[in-house]
């Protein structure tokens, strides 16, 4: 485990916790150590400030560094959203070939960012599960850089917990509220707090609350529109409590954040929407997980 005194002397990136990360920073864009701000009695961690605009860069930086370390020259992933963007961007940064599988029904606008990073897009007819199966099959001959299944992705997202504890003066928050789709953030954060507890850097776990969409099959929060997360059992074990929020609550939270200067995408406001339903008497931290989409430049 890292030594807080050493960490304090290092550059402000997630790699300052390098002793706790199982790979070297072979593919990095200076990511991490995002601001922790106090907003109306709540701490919000601004993970919109990543190269691709979402926390998925935490996982992609570590997973693609692992690929580089292993000499892997091309990967596949399945996601039409922020995970696809993050994997495509880090592959571009690391000069690794990248193919992203997406459902054929995906809106072309959503795919523009992935394309700009130079990834190959493969449209798969059928359901989201069919797309995952196609990526898994292709991964047998290359490498399946899955944000859902690869534990190296979680070794990246766990740095969120390290940063929060350091930014609170090496103390543990009371409550952590996070959006949950496939659980790549929540499972990583749980891992991060557990590792700090084992190392004696904190003396208890925070209360971990997961927030889901009331209706994941048709929510405006696309990033958590996951009906059957493959790691549901692990998620259930990691959280102390699950709650749901409606699209109306998500929109209200999004507007409340924008009125404070934070322009997030709907999924990026889900954690805050969860916090707004709580009666806050303790030290609560949530994450702004992704920024609002910019209007697209036609090139
Ligand atoms: C992916 C994503 C989530 C949900 O993360 P999971 O790993 O699927 O639980 C939340 N917010 C944003 C902005 C995302 O991109």
């Amino acid at each position: 485990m890292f030594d807080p005194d050493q960490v304090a002397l290092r550059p402000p990136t997630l790699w300052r916790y390098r002793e706790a990360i199982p790979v070297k920073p072979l593919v990095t864009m200076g990511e991490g150590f995002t601001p922790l701000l106090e907003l109306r009695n709540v701490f919000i961690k601004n993970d919109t400030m990543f190269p691709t605009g979402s926390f998925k860069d935490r996982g992609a930086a570590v997973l693609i560094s692992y690929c580089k370390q292993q000499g892997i020259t091309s990967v596949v992933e399945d996601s039409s959203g922020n995970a696809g963007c993050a994997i495509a961007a880090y592959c571009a940064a690391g000069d690794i070939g990248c193919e992203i599988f997406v459902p054929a029904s995906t809106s072309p606008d959503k795919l523009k960012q992935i394309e700009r990073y130079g990834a190959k897009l493969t449209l798969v007819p059928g359901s989201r599960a069919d797309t995952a199966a196609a990526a898994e099959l292709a991964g047998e001959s290359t490498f399946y850089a899955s944000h859902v299944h690869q534990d190296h992705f979680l070794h990246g997202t766990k740095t969120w917990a390290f940063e929060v504890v350091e930014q609170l003066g090496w103390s543990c928050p009371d409550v952590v509220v996070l959006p949950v789709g496939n659980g790549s953030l929540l499972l990583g954060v749980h891992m991060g707090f557990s590792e700090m507890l084992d190392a004696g850097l904190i003396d208890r776990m925070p209360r971990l609350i997961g927030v889901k969409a009331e209706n994941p099959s048709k929510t405006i929060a696309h990033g958590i529109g996951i009906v059957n997360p493959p790691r549901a059992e692990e998620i259930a074990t990691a959280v102390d409590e699950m709650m749901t929020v409606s699209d109306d609550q998500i929109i209200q939270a999004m507007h409340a954040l924008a009125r404070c200067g934070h322009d997030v995408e709907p999924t990026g406001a889900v954690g805050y929407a969860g916090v707004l339903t709580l009666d806050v008497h303790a030290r609560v931290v949530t994450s702004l997980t992704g920024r609002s989409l910019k209007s697209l430049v036609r090139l």
Side-chain angles (χ1 to χ4, degrees):
M1 197 45 151
F2 51 80
D3 169 356
D5 293 337
Q6 287 291 315
V7 164
L9 304 171
R10 295 175 180 165
T13 76
L14 58 81
W15 299 100
R16 65 206 264 112
Y17 311 104
R18 65 180 72 121
E19 289 84 357
I21 302 174
V23 293
K24 293 196 164 57
L26 295 178
V27 184
T28 174
M29 291 190 267
E31 57 284 320
F33 212 68
T34 56
L36 184 71
L37 309 162
E38 210 173 338
L39 186 75
R40 300 196 181 123
N41 290 335
V42 178
F43 287 94
I44 55 168
K45 186 135 174 76
N46 190 358
D47 266 9
T48 71
M49 293 180 71
F50 272 97
T52 75
S54 87
F55 80 85
K56 298 284 193 325
D57 291 5
R58 291 186 187 276
V62 173
L63 178 57
I64 301 304
S65 288
Y66 167 76
C67 292
K68 200 78 192 165
Q69 185 172 294
Q70 296 299 306
I72 291 164
T73 55
S74 71
V75 307
V76 297
E77 156 75 314
D78 55 309
S79 159
S80 56
N82 291 330
C85 287
I87 296 293
Y90 279 83
C91 282
D95 196 21
I96 287 176
C98 180
E99 181 175 3
I100 306 284
F101 288 74
V102 299
S105 57
T106 310
S107 132
D109 276 353
K110 270 186 91 177
L111 305 175
K112 287 275 192 289
Q113 189 181 357
I114 293 173
E115 274 184 325
R116 282 198 299 276
Y117 295 125
K120 180 183 175 201
L121 273 173
T122 299
L123 306 180
V124 182
S127 69
R128 181 68 187 79
D130 294 331
T131 302
E136 211 169 327
L137 189 66
E140 286 174 10
S141 54
T142 55
F143 178 80
Y144 185 24
S146 168
H147 68 290
V148 182
H149 298 288
Q150 296 287 351
D151 278 345
H152 278 91
F153 199 90
L154 303 187
H155 285 296
T157 57
K158 77 182 180 186
T159 58
W160 188 91
F162 300 159
E163 292 178 16
V164 166
V165 167
E166 179 177 358
Q167 288 167 322
L168 292 175
W170 296 105
S171 70
C172 191
D174 300 304
V175 184
V176 167
V177 183
L178 295 174
V180 181
N182 280 307
S184 77
L185 178 60
L186 185 121
L187 292 173
V189 166
H190 182 262
M191 182 193 283
F193 281 113
S194 303
E195 288 180 5
M196 285 186 286
L197 185 67
D198 288 346
L201 289 172
I202 52 176
D203 55 11
R204 62 190 160 82
M205 290 290 280
R207 183 168 179 75
L208 197 49
I209 302 178
V211 189
K212 287 188 171 212
E214 212 166 72
N215 186 353
S217 63
K218 56 179 225 260
T219 176
I220 52 158
H222 301 293
I224 57 165
I226 315 287
V227 180
N228 291 311
R231 301 179 79 162
E233 273 179 39
E234 285 168 78
I235 294 168
T237 308
V239 293
D240 294 290
E241 193 184 314
M242 282 302 283
M243 64 162 75
T244 60
V245 289
S246 67
D247 276 5
D248 276 352
Q249 286 173 298
I250 294 169
I251 291 166
Q252 272 177 28
M254 204 174 94
H255 286 308
L257 287 166
R259 291 308 186 94
C260 299
H262 300 286
D263 190 28
V264 300
E265 64 174 289
T267 315
V270 166
Y272 192 63
V275 168
L276 292 180
T277 70
L278 302 176
D279 198 8
V280 176
H281 296 293
R283 204 154 57 157
V284 181
V285 187
T286 188
S287 176
L288 309 185
T289 51
R291 70 177 165 241
S292 173
L293 293 173
K294 307 286 177 213
S295 55
L296 294 157
V297 190
R298 301 261 168 237
L299 291 173

